[in-house]
Amino acid sequence: ATFTDISGQGFIIAIATGRSAACAAHIIEKLDLAPVSQTDAGVSSRPGFPLVCTNGARGLRIVKKAHSDIIGDASVHAGPATMNRSNTMPTDVRSADETPRNPLLRETLVIDVEMFHDRLTEELTLKVLKLANDLGCMVNYYQGHYIYVAPRNERHLEAAERYKTLTGSDEFFVYLNDTTKDLSAQSFNEANSWGYKEAVRKGLPSKIIIFCDSAILDKVVDDCRVHLNGSSDPCDQSYSYNAHIIRGAPPFFVEVLNPGVHKGRGLVRLCESLDVPLEEVLAFGDGDNDAEFLTVAGCGFAMKNARDNVKELADYVTEWTNDEDGVIRTLQKLEETGKLMLKDS
């Protein structure tokens, strides 16, 4: 079986990622799954491609432009965050002579429905920006499709370029300060939101990433927990859950989201929107940000290359890594052993 075979049999394939919708769009385009299957009643039972992005902060339905007028709002129960296609498209900030590569900029894919979106509060946003400034760190400010950065030194610039390459986000990466001048002479204070005033004016973020050297990552995680939640130990009685903090992978950043926002909660909300029981969900993950995702699903698989703490939470560990096509090979094995039933098997 392939993903196309599985999808064609009525199974819903979705992606839950820490990346933005724009940075996941090329994966959805490459999968190229049919957008709709029809029930006997003629109603769409699998509308578009479900996507949980920015580590559970946002839930979307993405469709091919050619199918967007056909699908409508069938079988999706969108919450108060619902938006139409016209105001969820990214604003193109490139020069006129540039040809867009991203499917959302080319408009071969469009966001049909936003099912939910949990942004950081203004209070938490400003606390995180101040904390990063005090730690001498740069942040990525995720607002809409764009990632806003304000580097203060060459080390920050290197981290920004590394992350941009890692996520393929170059078309959505926006520098808020003049990186051609002396960065140390530029203003980073409370009056300009520690370099992020323009980004804050555009809107509150889905998440904020704090960059740091790998050698001090665990210390920065603890600093975030102490300053934002009151203690470095989540089991401590003084620990207040004011922010959800995730250790990044590769290990050179920390992610901060609203409390209660994570892939697991995103999966719950997605299933509610699609009327899919959680006990019927198979989930695959390998990072710290997959912890809740694997535990709330009916069956959670940790990839062979996952961190040990993630493997301990999962129901099973796959025989293969991500690079070895572990997800589809595991699904094929489940089909061969009669645990995944396809109509044509």
Side-chain angles (χ1 to χ4, degrees), residues 13 42 44 49 60 69 71-72 78 85 103 109 126 167 171 175 213 219 225 233 257 285 294 310 316 319 323 335 337:
I13 295 176
S44 168
F49 192 100
L60 305 167
D69 294 330
I71 293 173
R85 292 191 295 278
L109 295 179
L126 295 177
T167 57
E171 290 183 284
Y175 286 97
D213 293 333
K219 179 183 181 304
R225 287 173 174 166
D233 183 4
L257 299 104
L294 296 180
V310 178
Y316 302 98
E319 298 177 32
D323 292 338
E335 182 191 7
T337 56

Side-chain angles (χ1 to χ4, degrees), residues 48 95 111 169 219 281 300 332:
S95 61
I111 295 174
S169 56
K219 179 183 181 304
V281 174
Q332 288 167 345

